[in-house]
Amino acid sequence: MVNLTIDDKQVTAPKTATIYEAAKLNGVNIPILCHDKKLKPFGACRMCLVEVEQMKGRQIPACTTPVTEGMIIRTSTPDIIKARKMVLELLLLNHPLDCPVCDKAGDCDLQNLTYEYKVDSNRFADEKFHHQIDYNNPLIERDMNRCVLCGKCARICDEIVGFGALTFINRGIETKIGCEFEEGLNCEFCGSCISVCPVGSLLARPFKFKARFWSLTKQKSVCGYCGTGCNLTLGVKDNKVLTTLYDENQGFHNGQLCVRGRFGYQFINSDQRLTSPLIRTNGRLMECTWEEALTAVASRLTGGNSVAALATPRLTNEELFLFKKMMLDNVGSSNFDHSAGYAHAALTEGFSRSLGASASPATILDVQKTDLLLVVKTDSYETHPVIGFEINMGVKNKGIKLNIISDKRGKLSKLPGANTLVHSPGSEVAVLNAIAKSILDQKLTDGSASSIPGYAELEKALAAFTPEAVAASSGISADSIKKIAKDYASAEKALILFPVGQSYPGHNQEMASAVANLVILTGKIGKEGCGVLCMSEKSNSQGAVDMGFYAQNGGMNSLQILDACKNGTVKTLFIVGENPVVSYPNGANVKAALDAVDFLVVTELFMTDTAAMADVVLPACSFAEKEGTFTSTDRRVQYVKPAIRKDVKCKTDFEILSALITKLGGQAPSSPASVFAEIAANTSGYAGMSYINLQNNGAFAPVNVTPKLVASKAAPAVSAESGKLAMVTGSTLYHSGTLSQFGEGPMHVCPEAYVEMSRNDAARYKITEKDLVTVSSSTGSIKLKAKVTPRMPEGVVYIPYHFSETPVNAIWNGSAVTVVSIAK
Amino acid sequence: MNPITPIINGLSITLKHLFMKPVTLQYPDERPKVAARFRGLHALNVSHNKAKCVACYLCPTVCPAKCITVEAGEDDNHDKFAAKYEIDMLRCIFCGYCVEACPVDAIRMTGEFELANYHRKDFIYNKERLLEKK
Ligand code: SF4
Ligand code: SF4
Ligand code: SF4
Ligand code: SF4
Ligand code: SF4
Ligand code: FES
């Protein structure tokens, strides 16, 4: 701490603070235009000038100058005010005064400062800029005539997003912000640049002219897409969510969002939303009343285990808890599951047996606190982009060492110093085991490791996984495996990340145990910046596990339920929000099962392929219309409240389930709050949480670990037949599950599935970018556009799984690697 | 006092007024002369064959009666224009704040005061009805 004087007030500030930060800490406001707390100091605008007595009264920028002991600072002398006015005059010289038609008005730093400093005339005269405005981009409109050259957009895109799409072009008065070769923007569309632009140079096109900033109601919420659990502010007007707004103080991520969170909100007010219950009469789905629909459903929810349920992990904890309770107590069936079963196996089976808890011991906050990151699959960036930002920042600013083992390269491999080991598809568990083996061989284990149960068995089981043996099957050299083992074990703090989800069947209990073994063997657990984070797929995937909404005590899992539908053991299937026809493996099998089941109920927002097959369809509500809690991948329990009123004809899943419980003769709970009280009392880690407190701040549910070493079985390597390719599926950056297909933003940038392949394979099959190719496997074939990229290894193709039009499950039966052939 | 005097006085006043210029306006046969600053029905100013309004939403923001509805649209040149501009005259208090707020001089108040009508819906003036008649 240093002592200094700001505006005649004696204050203290941390040694590392700048004058601006010190002033802010002590309640003195210094105006800024080019500074952002998330970015490195830049000093481009000179709005923050202050006088420091020791510097002979010279005016210096507060945002870049560190404080020193005894500094005497004045922030608003007449001279400074004059200087700031001059800065504004010079900016306004070229800035078009089109506030009436600029969407930024009302939230514009330049406008606010001009008003505050009463700059109502200009002593200078000059021409305005005549830059071409980019109206063509579907998501980001760029009007460089309004730019004040603060550089925030270029800096955030580089420093945090790590994409580097924008940069300064030209010099002097000609300087402007643009893309390479003055081309259009073709980036991740995370919208971070829009969020920090102090003026209206970068604007969200989907929101163009929709409403004024001041007429929006700002509703805080939690993103309903992936498990990162980012906090959002929704801009609401006339009961419609019109945009997402930036709040730099929100969440661990300081308001940063990915393309889905920022631009994928349109599904909430989509006119394709279902608005009436539907019941199948004479083979067609016809509108009916809620009473009719619910009575029909309740009458079929009898017969104990012949009823089964699948739910989406996008329901709230309260809904999942209630659903489970209904199934067990009122229906009398233990057949319920979510996410195709295997997508949560890493937690429910893997971590349960290895760590004694079905949750990750590390949190997202540990990413920045660690010394070394071991990431399984470069897809981690695409599945959880905002965690990806944390990795970017950690690696770039803190020098965290990044090691990746993956079946393809990706954005993360481009980070400075990133060490990417590309292995043959499907051999990740073998590689992890080889790392464990190498740790044992190099005697790098933690002192306590040998006393942990299972050590001897593991040692025996790992004998088959010598780096040399795995090198032969995985294509990674034995030396690199040994080096990663050494680096990982000898790092003081190290963290392992791996994504799970419906498109990653190989990321199952075996991978979880293999990863847990590494963590336990090296003692990297229970300390800050250490451990493992299993990145769960959807907004409440971790919650669904915590609520116990999966096959337990003899209940059938998702895939068994579908089989049971086919063979007639399950007669009623109740699907809440899942879209198995598109997102579960082996689409034909899923369709056959849904066809065969006697009675199919689907609760949905949209007429999905699954809902279209139902006997009763119930219109439900999105996350923006309901109340409850979501648990993020690192067990942050966060409250969501209704941002808009729901359509009168729709019911939340909570209301639907409550109504059914009443019809089944049970006692429905009074509100989500009362259910949460029950959850807090019954769920490990949730004890002591209060619904009221969560409304202000999320809370972490602690994870208690009892380590055990469990040998994990590695899937045999897939031998590539000649003339065939290995297909892996996965989650693409712009989408999450199948819901994002109803968000216009994601669909603008990534409207359809594609098959991504290496340049060599493309050349071999004489395929060029965007060619329509037929991909066939033993189960079927689909036609997709080709995407040729340098990141794919030869012999491997990648197809994302989200799309109803061309579902990958036509050729994918749920194995981690599928052998396919390709023809033009 | 002579009881007749007041009657005479009264009648003389009546007589005087018979020859004075009448104050009563024989509306609707006679039309009032409306002052330039009168705040009557609004008109949207036109320039280059287009309404000048750029749909900045300042008038609906300032309007104390909250009777203006604006919806912006994007025209072929990507410019902002009022796709919808409506004033509910039943709620308008003719304060003129909207005129004062407009940054582009797109709205004024005319001398038009004959706003009576039979149906509530007829008091909603849409953009078509508000455009100035030349
Ligand atoms: S949207 Fe994101 S990736 Fe694209 S330019 Fe802006 S900050 Fe960079
Ligand atoms: S576009 Fe916006 S954020 Fe980027 S330099 Fe210009 S004013 Fe700053
Ligand atoms: S999709 Fe995931 S990473 Fe993106 S904003 Fe939502 S929660 Fe955050
Ligand atoms: S005159 Fe006053 S009340 Fe009437 S529309 Fe204008 S601002 Fe509103
Ligand atoms: S203030 Fe003027 S320009 Fe703005 S919406 Fe009203 S009439 Fe149109
Ligand atoms: S805010 Fe300090 S120079 Fe711009």
Side-chain angles (χ1 to χ4, degrees), chain A residues 445-458:
Chain A
T445 49
D446 186 61
S448 63
S450 53
S451 59
I452 286 170
Y455 183 83
E457 290 86 341
L458 179 70

Side-chain angles (χ1 to χ4, degrees), chain A residues 5 39 72 102 118 141 170 188 196 221 247 276 311 342 364 451 458 460 462 484 532 548 566 590 601 679-680 733 765:
Chain A
T5 317
L39 301 173
I72 301 174
C102 175
K118 305 192 184 65
E141 183 167 301
N170 295 337
E188 287 178 18
V196 291
S221 190
D247 176 355
S276 162
Y342 59 77
I364 300 174
S451 59
L458 179 70
K460 234 176 30 229
L462 286 180
I484 273 208
V532 47
K566 240 164 72 173
V590 176
V601 192
I679 292 173
L733 176 65
Y765 291 96

Side-chain angles (χ1 to χ4, degrees), chain B residues 53-59 70 85 102-104 106-107:
Chain B
C53 170
V54 292
C56 73
Y57 289 81
L58 286 188
C59 53
V70 181
Y85 192 101
C102 184
V104 294
I107 190 163

Side-chain angles (χ1 to χ4, degrees), chain A residues 214-234:
Chain A
W214 58 82
S215 65
L216 295 171
T217 317
K218 285 98 194 157
Q219 296 281 14
K220 290 201 187 312
S221 190
V222 178
C223 177
Y225 281 115
C226 86
T228 310
C230 297
N231 297 14
L232 288 179
T233 306
L234 299 172

Side-chain angles (χ1 to χ4, degrees), chain B residues 7-131:
Chain B
I7 295 174
I8 304 267
N9 282 352
L11 278 176
S12 72
I13 289 173
T14 311
L15 202 68
K16 199 164 92 206
H17 275 264
L18 268 182
F19 299 100
M20 271 169 71
K21 199 166 165 260
V23 192
T24 319
L25 193 68
Q26 291 304 317
Y27 181 82
D29 298 333
E30 283 177 64
R31 312 290 303 173
K33 210 166 124 229
V34 177
R37 287 173 49 187
F38 183 79
R39 299 197 298 264
L41 178 69
H42 308 67
L44 289 173
N45 293 338
V46 170
S47 135
H48 299 92
N49 292 323
K50 271 199 318 209
K52 280 172 88 176
C53 170
V54 292
C56 73
Y57 289 81
L58 286 188
C59 53
T61 305
V62 77
C63 175
K66 294 280 163 267
C67 62
I68 311 181
T69 313
V70 181
E71 263 169 38
E74 187 178 357
D75 68 14
D76 297 342
N77 297 325
H78 304 287
D79 288 332
K80 200 177 183 187
F81 77 105
K84 178 173 173 188
Y85 192 101
E86 245 175 44
I87 304 182
D88 182 350
M89 288 303 163
L90 282 178
R91 287 172 65 183
C92 176
I93 56 167
F94 297 94
C95 62
Y97 281 9
C98 47
V99 179
E100 220 172 298
C102 184
V104 294
D105 187 27
I107 190 163
R108 69 190 152 88
M109 292 179 101
T110 64
E112 177 67 47
F113 59 89
E114 292 163 302
L115 303 174
N117 230 320
Y118 291 102
H119 300 288
R120 279 178 181 271
K121 65 174 186 337
D122 294 328
F123 287 93
I124 312 265
Y125 281 68
N126 62 14
K127 191 176 173 189
E128 206 37 52
R129 285 173 79 189
L130 287 169
L131 277 180

